[in-house]
Amino acid sequence: MIKIHRTNSENTDFQELVRFLDKDLASRDGVEHSFYARFNKIDSIKFAVVAHENNKAIGCGAFKKYDEETVEIKRMFVRTKNRGQGVGGLMLEELEKWALEEGYQFAVLETGKKQPEAIHLYQKSGYAIIENYGQYKDVENSVCMKKMLVNIPK
């Protein structure tokens, strides 16, 4: 059974998964990776989640404040052998729920054109492609997305 735990960037499972994420992104992005790396520091993330299955960390994600009503989803990753099992969707749902609890109304994110599985996950989760924002404005490889967060009764 998959369990999603709320934590922060001091969590060692989160840190280990981010190292795997960075290796994966470096292989996909090639020389462009160094551009993105400077925007993906994790030294002070207050809102992170780690997915566990049988006490093994299999995925992570986080958000940070973007503006007064918006969070930016960051550092989403699922171990290769655990992909396709809905882990990313569960983590994203928990991050969105947490952002709502913190008073935010929207979520934005940036992913890469070389990450079609991520684009699919976000679109399936209700994110729409928007004009590239902030530091990604003129980046050809970037795909930026946005979603209005709503409380979904369970």
Side-chain angles (χ1 to χ4, degrees):
M1 181 174 166
I2 297 167
K3 295 182 179 177
I4 310 296
H5 298 101
R6 292 181 180 186
T7 187
N8 60 41
S9 59
E10 294 178 14
N11 180 284
T12 55
D13 285 339
F14 179 75
Q15 293 170 2
E16 178 186 25
L17 289 163
V18 166
R19 283 192 290 277
F20 286 121
L21 167 62
D22 287 339
K23 283 176 79 173
D24 182 62
L25 292 175
S27 70
R28 291 178 194 240
D29 295 335
V31 295
E32 296 174 343
H33 181 69
S34 60
F35 169 80
Y36 293 104
R38 61 186 164 157
F39 302 119
N40 292 320
K41 305 281 187 240
I42 65 164
D43 49 349
S44 61
I45 293 177
K46 296 179 190 173
F47 307 100
V49 296
V50 176
H52 289 90
E53 184 176 49
N54 300 322
N55 295 320
K56 180 175 169 72
I58 61 170
C60 66
F63 71 80
K64 67 177 189 175
K65 177 181 177 178
Y66 181 73
D67 64 30
E68 293 305 314
E69 57 184 23
T70 309
V71 297
E72 183 177 26
I73 303 293
K74 306 288 290 178
R75 314 288 38 214
M76 291 288 291
F77 176 75
V78 176
R79 289 181 188 266
T80 306
K81 66 182 179 185
N82 299 100
R83 293 180 185 166
Q85 301 171 7
V87 178
L90 290 171
M91 293 187 307
L92 187 58
E93 189 177 289
E94 185 65 24
L95 289 168
E96 292 170 354
K97 180 180 170 189
W98 198 358
L100 274 168
E101 291 170 12
E102 294 294 321
Y104 295 99
Q105 299 172 22
F106 300 94
V108 294
L109 59 87
E110 183 275 342
T111 191
K113 289 181 180 176
K114 297 174 184 172
Q115 297 171 273
E117 68 280 11
I119 294 169
H120 175 75
L121 165 67
Y122 298 133
Q123 288 179 320
K124 188 170 109 177
S125 300
Y127 286 77
I129 295 174
I130 60 171
E131 187 174 311
N132 287 6
Y133 62 85
Q135 64 265 27
Y136 309 110
K137 190 165 181 56
D138 296 317
V139 180
E140 173 90 17
N141 182 49
S142 289
V143 176
C144 293
M145 306 177 97
K146 185 174 186 175
K147 177 181 179 178
M148 177 188 281
L149 304 175
V150 293
N151 279 314
I152 301 169
K154 295 226 170 191

